[in-house]
């Protein structure tokens, strides 16, 4: 069985889909990616689909599922390299890909992730501000 490589670049995991996504390959990718997020502590995932000519509802659901798994593990997902025909197909299929940001290239996706705070960081900052204000005396 073929596997989709998951590469670590700084605080980001890069998944470049270069093969047809069959059921078993998709399940293995989900497991591999979840394991790598936990092992590395990365807070960003980029999924490069520039090699895909066609996206069907299965691939759309796979992207949404991977983004959900990543989000639960405190990592944001960006899909990059989407061709215009793929975008049109996703819209026609009614797949909005909730929780997934998009960018035209890997570089733009990395920039987008680097500008966003990790999901947990914003919450901690909010609580820190509340704690500070509660401790201050007039």
């Amino acid at each position: 069985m073929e596997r989709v490589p998951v590469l670590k670049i700084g605080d980001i995991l890069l998944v470049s889909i270069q093969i047809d996504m069959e059921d078993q390959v998709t399940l293995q990718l989900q497991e591999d990616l979840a394991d790598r997020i936990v092992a590395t502590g990365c807070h960003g995932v980029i999924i490069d689909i520039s090699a895909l000519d066609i996206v069907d509802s299965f691939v759309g659901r796979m992207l949404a599922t991977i983004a959900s798994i990543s989000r639960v593990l405190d990592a944001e997902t960006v899909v990059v390299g989407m061709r215009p025909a793929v975008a049109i197909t996703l819209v026609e299929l009614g797949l909005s890909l909730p929780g997934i940001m998009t960018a035209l290239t890997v570089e733009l996706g990395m920039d987008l992730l680097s500008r966003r705070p990790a999901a947990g960081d914003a919450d901690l900052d909010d609580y820190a501000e509340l704690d500070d204000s509660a401790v201050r005396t007039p």
Side-chain angles (χ1 to χ4, degrees):
M1 173 182 66
E2 290 185 89
R3 288 179 103 135
V4 177
V6 179
L7 307 173
K8 183 177 183 292
I9 303 172
D11 190 36
I12 296 171
L13 295 175
L14 174 62
V15 177
S16 183
I17 300 175
Q18 303 287 321
I19 59 174
D20 288 334
M21 295 302 294
E22 298 171 2
D23 290 355
Q24 194 59 36
V25 174
T26 299
L27 293 173
Q28 189 63 55
L29 173 59
Q30 291 172 358
E31 186 175 321
D32 290 347
L33 185 56
D35 288 343
R36 290 293 303 273
I37 291 170
V38 171
T40 63
C42 286
H43 294 288
V45 174
I46 294 177
I47 302 174
D48 181 5
I49 62 169
S50 59
L52 298 181
D53 292 324
I54 300 171
V55 171
D56 57 12
S57 61
F58 172 74
V59 173
R61 284 191 313 274
M62 178 263 312
L63 292 172
T65 300
I66 287 174
S68 295
I69 292 168
S70 299
R71 194 173 325 105
V72 167
L73 295 173
D74 195 29
E76 295 292 329
T77 302
V78 178
V79 173
V80 302
M82 189 177 303
R83 297 173 187 229
V86 170
I88 291 167
T89 301
L90 287 174
V91 170
E92 287 174 349
L93 291 173
L95 298 172
S96 61
L97 303 179
I100 300 177
M101 297 177 285
T102 60
L104 294 176
T105 65
V106 171
E107 293 82 7
L108 291 172
M110 291 177 74
D111 184 51
L112 182 62
L113 285 171
S114 70
R115 289 186 283 137
R116 291 181 61 96
D121 292 348
D123 296 337
L124 291 175
D125 290 342
D126 291 343
Y127 288 120
E129 289 175 15
L130 290 174
D131 291 343
D132 289 342
S133 65
V135 173
R136 290 185 187 143
T137 56

